[in-house]
């Protein structure tokens, strides 16, 4: 059974950093593409970063490029999202999502499995 458990959200001041973790079970990271998807109040879900299975190719939305870094630790079966230089507009619920394919997608509907989400609030 595929499960994804996020952790690491919280309240941070503008300019601060957070690292989100997504511990996966029921599959190995090499066989699935993983994505970080966020949803701000009143807005649609947005894939902000994803990493392909096998080759580990990455994608970043323009809104987070240069500030966020996705990585994975196959030994721990965990994917991370390092978020630096956080802005108030980064405030959202952040979800880890997995796709039953090694090919990542920037479409939220392309992910089959979802974590419970973790709240990130950037505010002074």
């Amino acid at each position: 059974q595929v499960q994804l458990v996020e952790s690491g959200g919280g309240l941070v001041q503008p300019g601060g950093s957070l690292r989100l973790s997504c511990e996966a079970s029921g599959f190995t990271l090499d066989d699935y593409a993983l994505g970080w998807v966020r949803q701000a109040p009143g807005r649609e879900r947005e894939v902000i970063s994803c990493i392909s299975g096998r080759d580990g190719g990455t994608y970043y939305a323009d809104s987070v490029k240069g500030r966020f870094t996705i990585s994975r630790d196959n030994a721990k079966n965990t994917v991370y999202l390092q978020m630096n230089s956080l802005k108030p507009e980064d405030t959202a619920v952040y979800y880890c999502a997995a796709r039953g394919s090694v090919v990542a997608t920037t479409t939220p509907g392309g992910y089959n499995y979802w974590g419970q989400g973790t709240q990130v609030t950037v505010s002074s």
Side-chain angles (χ1 to χ4, degrees):
Q1 181 180 358
V2 172
Q3 284 192 318
L4 302 167
V5 179
E6 302 105 332
S7 60
L11 173 65
V12 64
Q13 292 187 340
S17 298
L18 283 174
R19 188 178 80 158
L20 305 183
S21 299
C22 172
E23 185 173 356
S25 59
F27 67 97
T28 57
L29 297 184
D30 270 351
D31 295 333
Y32 281 62
L34 274 290
W36 284 100
V37 183
R38 71 183 180 188
Q39 186 166 27
R43 303 192 65 177
E44 294 185 351
R45 290 188 177 186
E46 173 192 18
V47 176
I48 56 168
S49 184
C50 52
I51 185 166
S52 296
R54 304 293 180 190
D55 66 7
T58 58
Y59 159 85
Y60 298 95
D62 287 343
S63 56
V64 306
K65 198 173 294 182
R67 300 187 297 123
F68 291 11
T69 303
I70 190 171
S71 62
R72 67 186 187 195
D73 184 333
N74 286 359
K76 296 182 178 179
N77 226 38
T78 299
V79 176
Y80 303 97
L81 185 68
Q82 178 67 43
M83 305 187 294
N84 299 329
S85 302
L86 283 160
K87 305 175 181 180
E89 51 263 44
D90 293 318
T91 296
V93 177
Y94 285 69
Y95 299 90
C96 176
R99 184 165 189 247
S101 166
V102 298
V103 180
T105 178
T106 60
T107 303
Y111 290 90
N112 309 103
Y113 308 98
W114 293 78
Q116 80 283 2
T118 185
Q119 177 70 46
V120 171
T121 303
V122 184
S123 175
S124 54

